[in-house]
Amino acid sequence: MKKCVIFCAGEFDKLAAPVEDAFVIAADGGYAHTKKLGLQPDAVLGDFDSLGYVPSDAVVHPVEKDDTDCMLAIRAGLEAGCTDFVIYGALDGPRLDHTLANLQSLQYLAAHGARGTLVGLQNTVTTVREETLVFPAEFTGTVSVFCMGEPARGVTIRGLKYELIEGELTSAYPLGVSNSFVGAESRIAVEKGCVLVLFDTANGMRWRYE
């Protein structure tokens, strides 16, 4: 899977995984993060209302547009053939509307045959779309599962404090909120549809799909 790493304008502590061989995109204020990390992005884009100036090598978009800067970066990554996206600075910004938009962007990626992960200060969010997400036994803390679109059916959760066998999650009731890792390998499987899975960033990115 070709990896795309996107830096947005919000906060994050550190890189959760190496960026070697990744297609790196700085979206608007995310350019400041790449400079701080000593990274040379492969693409710089946005309307630059957050950064406050336009880098010399940037692709500039108008402020009045349908896509957020994060979505512009996602589209660019997909056009470059990437299927594995790690996005920093997309969860802990000052605007809740942009945070919700970024959560929707994960579902956009899943609908386009890619996988995306948002890495924030406290939380990491990824998706499960008609597959199984497997966490190692070493993961600790809370984990929540949310449906934000069409009902997710055949949802099976095993190895967590609260299990679910071939259940249904909908966007109208938060059944999957505030579960817990219990020191065992855990699995979240979805037969039809897509869910968001939220857990502690301190666990890192050590999971796999089946």
Side-chain angles (χ1 to χ4, degrees):
M1 299 177 70
K2 184 177 179 181
K3 179 178 286 188
C4 178
V5 177
I6 297 172
F7 293 92
C8 297
E11 299 300 319
F12 66 95
D13 279 335
K14 59 184 179 181
L15 294 177
V19 299
E20 284 79 9
D21 300 322
F23 185 66
V24 178
I25 303 176
D28 199 326
Y31 183 72
H33 291 312
T34 61
K35 289 190 67 176
K36 184 177 179 180
L37 292 166
L39 297 175
Q40 180 60 47
D42 298 290
V44 182
L45 51 80
D47 55 31
F48 298 99
D49 59 348
S50 297
L51 186 62
Y53 68 95
V54 179
S56 59
D57 55 348
V59 177
V60 182
H61 294 262
V63 174
E64 296 181 354
K65 58 188 183 303
D66 291 335
D67 290 335
T68 64
D69 291 329
C70 182
M71 183 57 76
L72 288 173
I74 285 171
R75 290 185 187 275
L78 288 172
E79 290 174 3
C82 299
T83 53
D84 181 17
F85 288 70
V86 180
I87 305 172
Y88 295 94
L91 284 177
D92 297 285
R95 291 183 55 178
L96 179 59
D97 55 348
H98 277 269
T99 301
L100 291 172
N102 294 333
L103 291 171
Q104 285 189 322
S105 74
L106 292 184
Q107 293 184 293
Y108 179 89
L109 283 168
H112 286 76
R115 295 186 181 126
T117 301
L118 305 182
V119 179
L121 291 170
Q122 302 295 329
N123 298 300
T124 293
V125 187
T126 193
T127 56
V128 184
R129 181 181 176 88
E130 297 171 7
E131 58 191 345
T132 300
L133 177 64
V134 183
F135 290 116
E138 294 79 15
F139 269 42
T140 61
T142 60
V143 54
S144 296
V145 183
F146 296 104
C147 175
M148 293 183 65
E150 296 295 322
R153 298 186 171 91
V155 179
T156 296
I157 299 173
R158 297 183 185 272
L160 298 176
K161 182 177 181 179
Y162 306 107
E163 296 194 333
L164 179 67
I165 307 301
E166 295 187 358
E168 179 176 287
L169 297 182
T170 74
S171 59
Y173 186 72
L175 178 65
V177 70
S178 198
N179 211 328
S180 299
F181 294 108
V182 294
E185 183 178 86
S186 53
R187 295 170 174 264
I188 300 170
V190 179
E191 290 184 4
K192 185 173 179 58
C194 182
V195 298
L196 298 179
V197 182
L198 184 152
F199 50 94
D200 296 345
T201 293
N203 287 304
M205 297 185 65
R206 298 171 293 113
W207 63 83
R208 70 181 190 272
Y209 288 92
E210 294 180 350

